[in-house]
Amino acid sequence: MKRKVTKAVFPVAGLGTRFLPATKSIPKEIMTLVDQPLIQYAIDEARDAGIEEFIFVTSRGKSALEDYFDAAPQLEETLQRKGKTKLLDALKRTDMQSGAIAYVRQREALGLGHAVWCARRLIGDEPFAVVLPDDVIAGEKPCLQQMAEAYEETGGCMVASMEVPQHMISSYGVLDVKEDHGSIVSVKGMVEKPDADKAPSNLAVIGRYILTPSVLDNLNKMKTGAGGEIQLTDAIADQIDTEEGVYGFRFRGQRFDCGSKSGYLQATVAFGLAREELSEEFSMFLREYLGMQNAAQ
Ligand code: G1P
C-alpha cells in the first residue's frame, strides 16, 4: 500500500464572516500573524511534511490568494537592486513551482466535505492531506509531519485531535474512542458538532487530516449532516468499519483557533513573542500594559 502523502487540499472557500468588515475585500487566509498570512503557515507546515502538490479549493473573491503564490518579478527586481537580500529570502517562501499549485472552485457553500470533494479529480487515487488554515499549530515538529510519521505505521484515515473543554465541544467533530494508545487512538465513532450532553468524549477533531481516497467515494454520496452541510467528518466516519480504520492523533504543539477573534489575537501574541527580533520589546510592552490595566481595576 502506498503510504507516502504528497498532495494536500486547502479548503479556503469560506466567507470569513466572523472577521467582517476586514474580510469584505481580503480573504481571511490572507490575514496576517506578525508578517505572514495564515495561509503561509499552513503551506510551510505541509511542505515540512513532504507535501509537493498543493490544491486550493477557493470561491469568488479569493484571487488575492492566487496572486500571493505567484511570481512578482517587478518587486523582486526592485529588492535585488536595493540589495535587500533578507526580504528576498522572505519572498522565496511564497514561491510555488509552476504546476505545484492548483485551484479549483467550490461554486456553492455546501460544507467542508463538499469542498474536499470538489478536489477529487486533482487528488486521484492516493492518500492525501487536508489542512484547514484557520487552525494554526505551533510546535517543535510541525503537526502534519508528526501525523505523516504516525500514518506510516497505521495507514487508514487519521485526524488530528485534542481534548477541549466540555462547553466548546459542540463546535467540533468529536471522536468516540475505541482504544487509547496515548498519541494514537483508534476510533469507533465520529460525530460532527454534537450537543454537549451527547458528545461521545471531549476529544475533538482539529483541522489536519490524512485521508485515503475511499473518503472521496463516501463524499460522492452527497449525504448531508450537521447544519444541513456535507460533512467531512461523516465521510471519514464511514471508513470506521472498513479494514483500514480511522485513527485520532493527539499532536504535540499548541493550537490556535484563528477562525475566532480571540484565538487569532492569542496567536498574534504567541507568534510575536516567539520572534527573536520582537520578543524583548513586545514582552516588555505586554507586561507594562497588563500591569497598568490591573492597577486601574
Ligand atoms: C471543521 C470540521 C470539524 C473540526 C473543525 C476543526 O469545522 O467540520 O469537524 O472539528 O473544523 O477546526 P468548522 O470549524 O469549519 O466549523
Side-chain angles (χ1 to χ4, degrees), residues 5-295:
V5 184
T6 58
K7 291 183 180 179
V9 178
F10 300 82
V12 290
L15 291 174
T17 47
R18 278 197 266 181
F19 284 92
L20 280 171
T23 47
K24 185 180 172 198
S25 65
I26 53 158
K28 67 174 171 175
E29 297 78 16
I30 291 289
M31 295 196 343
T32 51
L33 287 181
V34 190
D35 52 8
Q36 286 191 171
L38 292 177
I39 192 68
Q40 183 74 55
Y41 291 91
I43 292 286
D44 287 349
E45 186 182 327
R47 271 199 187 121
D48 284 340
I51 298 299
E52 293 161 8
E53 287 181 55
F54 304 81
I55 304 165
F56 282 62
V57 183
T58 69
S59 60
R60 181 173 290 276
K62 297 281 180 162
S63 44
L65 275 169
E66 298 191 25
D67 289 343
Y68 179 79
F69 289 111
D70 202 353
Q74 223 176 1
L75 178 60
E76 281 160 33
E77 266 166 44
T78 311
L79 294 175
Q80 200 104 47
R81 217 178 29 243
K82 295 190 170 163
K84 306 257 184 204
T85 44
K86 267 202 177 149
L87 292 178
L88 275 169
D89 278 349
L91 270 191
K92 276 213 184 89
R93 318 230 335 271
T94 69
D95 237 18
M96 284 282 180
Q97 295 300 315
S98 294
I101 192 161
Y103 300 91
V104 59
R105 283 212 176 185
Q106 184 186 26
R107 291 164 56 97
E108 280 174 283
L110 296 179
L112 178 60
H114 179 261
V116 172
W117 176 83
C118 289
R120 67 201 177 281
R121 295 213 173 83
L122 296 166
I123 297 165
D125 192 26
E126 53 184 291
F128 60 100
V130 177
V131 178
L132 308 187
D134 273 2
D135 281 331
V136 176
I137 302 174
E140 233 164 80
K141 186 183 273 192
C143 177
L144 195 62
Q145 191 181 346
Q146 295 174 34
M147 287 173 74
E149 287 169 11
Y151 170 78
E152 290 199 12
E153 307 289 320
T154 60
C157 289
M158 181 171 278
V159 299
S161 55
M162 68 182 251
E163 265 81 20
V164 303
Q166 184 73 6
H167 70 276
M168 307 279 290
I169 200 73
S170 57
S171 304
Y172 293 92
V174 183
L175 301 182
D176 193 356
V177 175
K178 184 159 83 181
E179 282 172 44
D180 195 331
H181 301 288
S183 61
I184 297 179
V185 303
S186 63
V187 167
K188 62 176 181 207
M190 253 176 112
V191 43
E192 179 69 13
K193 301 194 172 70
D195 291 340
D197 56 345
K198 296 206 183 89
S201 74
N202 64 342
L203 195 56
V205 176
I206 301 303
R208 303 288 184 274
Y209 308 76
I210 295 180
L211 303 176
T212 59
S214 338
V215 170
L216 299 173
D217 298 332
N218 303 340
L219 287 170
N220 260 329
K221 296 175 195 145
M222 294 289 154
K223 212 167 63 187
T224 50
E229 295 188 338
I230 298 165
Q231 296 292 353
L232 186 57
T233 297
D234 297 340
I236 299 170
D238 284 348
Q239 288 305 108
I240 289 174
D241 292 327
T242 64
E243 205 185 315
E244 56 182 39
V246 175
Y247 300 88
F249 181 77
R250 284 196 188 92
F251 55 92
R252 297 175 302 283
Q254 190 172 4
R255 173 256 186 178
F256 297 93
D257 174 11
C258 290
S260 80
K261 286 175 200 172
S262 166
Y264 179 70
L265 289 173
Q266 288 166 28
T268 300
V269 172
F271 280 79
L273 288 174
R275 281 293 182 85
E276 215 179 303
E277 73 277 21
L278 297 175
S279 64
E280 202 182 316
E281 191 183 334
F282 191 38
S283 63
M284 204 191 319
F285 163 77
L286 287 175
R287 269 196 301 270
E288 281 175 11
Y289 190 76
L290 290 175
M292 269 162 23
Q293 298 264 307
N294 289 338

